[in-house]
Amino acid sequence: MSYALDAWLEVHEADDSTLDRYRELADRTIGPALGDVPISKLGTRALEQFYAQLRRCRVRCDGKPFIEHRTAGEHECRVVVKHRWPPGRPSAKTRAEHDCAAAGCKVAECPPHVCKPLSAGTVRKIHFVISGALAAAVRWEWIGSNPAAEAKKPKQAPPQPQPPTSDEGSRILAASWEQDFAWGMLIWLKMVTGARRGELLALRWHDLHLDQGVLEIRRNFTHRNGKAREKDTKTHQMRRISLDPGTVELLGTHRLNYQEQLTRLGVAFDESAFVFSYEADHSRPCNPDGVSHRYTEMCIRLGIKSHLHTLRHYSATELISSGVDIRTVAGRLGHGGGGTTTLRVYAAWVAESDRQAANVLAGRLPKPRSTTRSD
């Protein structure tokens, strides 16, 4: 099976981040279990058993208690100590006088195994990788049929987005503006457009058509394994998002601030510079993980449980609850399938919006003067 996986991954067309994830699943989960099994001997039953094992325990244990040793060689289980040093680099004297009990240092022990099942979504990804490799093997005439095609995979759990409430959204935005204008502008734009994190960070000034009130989403910025990369959007399609006058005014101020900063530096304005950047000349976009971490830390201080992606859900649910049609919401979010994905993810809010629509319509129609039955 390992040979078929490697051969498929060499020719499969996908983004680098996606291929990295597939390779990780192949090396960490699929290979140890099925790597030595010839694909001609791999059947549907074996695959379903494999998926069931992963849903019980990701290391496919036999259910008997055992110790998860931190190293494969001979060792004392209590050998790793995580020291808590005072701020700064500890000196030799500090190390010599260090009292682990007083400092609260932690001793890392080899713990007893606790079963941790893989999520249904992860097992479905594993199934996709196996199925893709076996389908390629059929095309290459290595095997006669694909056993994964008939294998039963875990059901896809219905999405349960948890966007901030309207009150929480207001508090988050207020805290963002208090930090600095550029940070507030990024969070504002995330809320009103629902764009993905990488799409906003990939924005350049020439993507903003403020005179038309339009923002163009053309690229996505990623930073994975130390490598920064601009690539196509998730759906490989450019989209244009309309902006309200208030957002246009705020973006105009953000642009003016950038121009004033360049004037102080003695640098000319560059339309190809990034809209959001920690560099003085905006020559490089913000680090995506850094932006997410900053947002999470801000929400923790506010006592709000939220992460950056939930602002995408916030935008969608606010639009749907306000009566905006699904196709328009899907277009702004960049969902493919003409709104199918949007309906699947936000079904609960569509139902709520539908109830509101029923009340609005019924409220406009005349009712009989008397509700008493007449014979």
Side-chain angles (χ1 to χ4, degrees):
M1 184 65 194
S2 290
Y3 184 81
L5 284 171
D6 292 339
W8 175 70
L9 288 170
E10 285 182 4
V11 301
H12 183 63
E13 294 184 4
D15 293 333
D16 289 343
S17 58
T18 302
L19 287 176
D20 287 343
R21 177 57 174 158
Y22 290 168
R23 291 190 182 97
E24 180 183 349
L25 292 174
D27 295 339
R28 180 179 297 178
T29 306
I30 304 173
L34 304 176
D36 295 334
V37 179
I39 56 176
S40 60
K41 302 294 184 181
L42 193 61
T44 300
R45 180 171 178 269
L47 291 177
E48 291 185 358
Q49 287 178 327
F50 176 52
Y51 300 155
Q53 290 171 352
L54 295 177
R55 293 291 288 133
R56 289 193 295 269
C57 179
R58 63 185 62 196
V59 300
R60 299 178 299 109
C61 72
D62 57 7
K64 298 179 181 179
F66 67 95
I67 300 297
E68 289 187 344
H69 294 288
R70 296 181 179 274
T71 180
E74 293 186 4
H75 66 283
E76 293 289 339
C77 284
R78 293 188 54 162
V79 294
V80 181
V81 180
K82 297 180 180 178
H83 294 289
R84 296 186 62 182
W85 303 106
R89 180 177 295 180
S91 63
K93 181 179 179 181
T94 301
R95 290 178 181 274
E97 298 177 351
H98 180 67
D99 186 344
C100 286
C105 300
K106 294 183 178 180
V107 179
E109 300 185 53
C110 296
H113 170 71
V114 177
C115 290
K116 297 178 181 178
L118 284 181
S119 67
T122 301
V123 177
R124 287 176 65 89
K125 288 186 178 70
I126 291 171
H127 170 78
F128 176 83
V129 173
I130 294 175
S131 182
L134 294 178
V138 172
R139 294 195 303 271
W140 299 332
E141 299 181 353
W142 293 356
I143 53 177
S145 61
N146 180 359
E150 301 297 328
K152 183 179 179 181
K153 56 184 179 293
K155 294 182 179 179
Q156 186 172 15
Q160 296 181 339
Q162 295 181 329
T165 63
S166 297
D167 177 66
E168 290 174 339
S170 298
R171 291 173 56 202
I172 290 170
L173 194 54
S176 302
W177 289 124
E178 289 177 2
Q179 289 194 16
D180 62 75
F181 189 88
W183 176 245
M185 186 72 256
L186 175 60
I187 300 303
W188 173 284
L189 207 58
K190 178 75 173 172
M191 284 183 166
V192 300
T193 65
R196 298 176 179 89
R197 177 186 65 178
E199 293 173 342
L200 290 180
L201 298 183
L203 283 177
R204 299 175 185 266
W205 291 110
H206 56 60
D207 296 323
L208 303 181
H209 304 282
L210 301 184
D211 55 335
Q212 304 173 29
V214 171
L215 178 152
E216 290 184 353
I217 301 290
R218 293 180 174 273
R219 295 167 302 279
N220 184 36
F221 178 73
T222 62
H223 193 278
R224 182 179 175 84
N225 296 329
K227 296 181 180 178
R229 180 170 176 259
E230 280 189 85
K231 59 181 184 179
D232 289 342
T233 61
K234 188 173 182 178
T235 57
H236 305 286
Q237 293 181 338
M238 183 273 285
R239 67 185 188 276
R240 292 164 62 88
I241 300 177
S242 297
L243 302 174
D244 62 279
T247 300
V248 170
E249 182 179 356
L250 289 171
L251 284 170
T253 302
H254 182 52
R255 180 183 175 118
L256 182 61
N257 292 341
Y258 169 61
Q259 291 174 322
E260 291 176 350
Q261 184 171 286
L262 291 181
T263 300
R264 291 192 295 270
L265 295 172
V267 179
F269 179 79
D270 186 0
E271 288 281 353
S272 64
F274 291 96
V275 175
F276 298 106
S277 173
Y278 293 132
E279 303 293 328
D281 59 354
H282 285 215
S283 58
R284 185 172 59 185
C286 300
N287 182 283
D289 291 336
V291 169
S292 294
H293 180 73
R294 181 177 179 180
Y295 176 83
T296 301
E297 288 294 316
M298 181 180 68
C299 289
I300 290 174
R301 289 193 296 270
L302 293 172
I304 298 174
K305 186 178 180 180
S306 176
H307 55 84
L308 190 63
H309 191 72
T310 60
L311 295 187
R312 181 169 165 85
H313 299 316
Y314 173 87
S315 179
T317 54
E318 289 291 314
L319 290 175
I320 293 173
S321 299
S322 298
V324 179
D325 65 277
I326 291 297
R327 184 174 289 272
T328 299
V329 176
R332 290 181 69 87
L333 296 179
H335 280 164
T340 303
T341 301
T342 313
L343 276 171
R344 180 175 61 85
V345 176
Y346 302 105
W349 282 271
V350 173
E352 177 62 27
S353 180
D354 186 55
R355 283 191 290 271
Q356 294 179 10
N359 293 333
V360 169
L361 186 59
R364 293 180 179 179
L365 297 176
K367 295 181 176 61
R369 295 180 180 178
S370 174
T371 57
T372 304
R373 286 185 60 184
S374 59
D375 295 329

